[in-house]
Amino acid sequence: KERLPVASLLDIRGHWAEPDIRILYGLGAFGEAGDYFHPTAYLLRGQFARALVAVLDLPLPGAEARQAGGNNNLSRRQARQQQAEETQSLFADVPLSDPAYPYYRAVAEAGVMGGVAPGTFGAARTITRAEALAIMVRALGLEGLAPAGLPATPFYDDFAIPAWARQAVYVAYKIGLERGDDYGYLKPNETLTRAEAAVLLNRFIRYLQQEMTADYRERVLSYY
């Protein structure tokens, strides 16, 4: 990946998540410009989708035409043709003219992140820790490797994990993607802040870079 320049980010100096934020910002995972990151602000689903595109290096719709070498006029014609062929957005709440639409379409078509309801992406909604973990485990293709039923985790608030996210949270804990806080709590239903999301996404990156090169199947299957 081509790393992007990192802004001065005046509000993260000395912050506990500063190293993770700078890494994610350098990858272009947070597309906003400016000198402020707002680490305590809640993360939106649309922002999380954009971060996943950067982290997973997902191709955006029309990227092939835009990146094609040789005849630039032909590439532009191909991009315009592809845009013209798509006459209806995949999501009722996101028009084709929305600059972020290609990111939402990319994660949806990759099977990584769906909408909040059929035909609705919900980009402006916040995202909980349980939701984020379920999305990342699905992106890794490990969602089916947890024990059947409702496996327990060691978090003190294990009872608060939604049933639909329990297997994903179990896998996330076992592979080191989620560790809980210093007091042993997961807080699965709390909204992620931008700083917390940066830490979680950087663990996700490290897993992709390091653990996926090993025989992870043997490691995960040993959880049974």
Side-chain angles (χ1 to χ4, degrees):
K1 297 179 187 234
E2 179 183 355
R3 292 193 175 253
L4 305 177
V6 180
S8 56
L9 298 177
L10 302 176
D11 57 348
I12 67 165
R13 293 175 182 171
H15 192 279
W16 59 270
E18 179 178 359
D20 299 281
I21 292 170
R22 290 194 177 279
I23 289 173
L24 268 296
Y25 220 96
L27 288 172
F30 298 100
E32 304 93 333
D35 293 330
Y36 293 90
F37 180 74
H38 305 292
T40 60
Y42 289 142
L43 186 77
L44 304 180
R45 282 175 48 86
Q47 295 169 332
F48 192 65
R50 183 184 182 109
L52 287 174
V53 169
V55 169
L56 294 170
D57 200 20
L58 295 177
L60 295 177
E64 296 83 358
R66 290 193 299 271
Q67 295 175 358
N71 191 328
N72 291 331
N73 291 329
L74 178 60
S75 299
R76 285 193 290 270
R77 285 200 302 273
Q78 289 172 331
R80 286 196 299 270
Q81 180 180 1
Q82 182 169 359
Q83 185 176 13
E85 290 173 350
E86 186 175 11
T87 58
Q88 184 175 356
S89 170
L90 294 179
F91 311 105
D93 59 336
V94 185
L96 287 174
S97 58
D98 190 322
Y101 173 72
Y103 295 92
Y104 308 157
R105 177 181 162 187
V107 294
E109 291 186 339
V112 171
M113 185 175 178
V116 295
T120 304
F121 191 78
R125 294 192 186 186
T126 56
I127 189 167
T128 66
R129 184 178 305 276
E131 290 170 336
L133 291 173
I135 290 168
M136 288 190 285
V137 169
R138 185 186 310 127
L140 292 171
L142 303 180
E143 68 274 20
L145 296 181
L150 300 174
T153 69
F155 302 115
Y156 289 135
D157 53 352
D158 175 82
F159 63 89
I161 300 173
W164 56 265
R166 181 165 290 277
Q167 290 186 327
V169 171
Y170 177 88
V171 173
Y173 167 72
K174 286 295 186 177
I175 66 176
L177 190 59
E178 178 55 64
R179 304 167 185 167
D181 64 17
D182 292 338
Y183 302 98
Y185 289 89
L186 175 66
K187 301 176 183 177
N189 301 308
E190 288 193 4
T191 301
L192 281 181
T193 66
R194 289 163 59 84
E196 290 170 337
V199 172
L200 199 55
L201 285 163
N202 199 27
R203 287 183 196 153
F204 183 69
I205 291 171
R206 288 198 296 267
Y207 185 81
L208 286 171
Q209 292 176 337
Q210 301 171 12
E211 300 299 333
M212 291 294 281
T213 61
D215 186 6
Y216 70 88
R217 292 186 185 278
E218 179 178 342
R219 178 182 176 187
V220 174
L221 288 173
S222 68
Y223 299 162
Y224 289 101

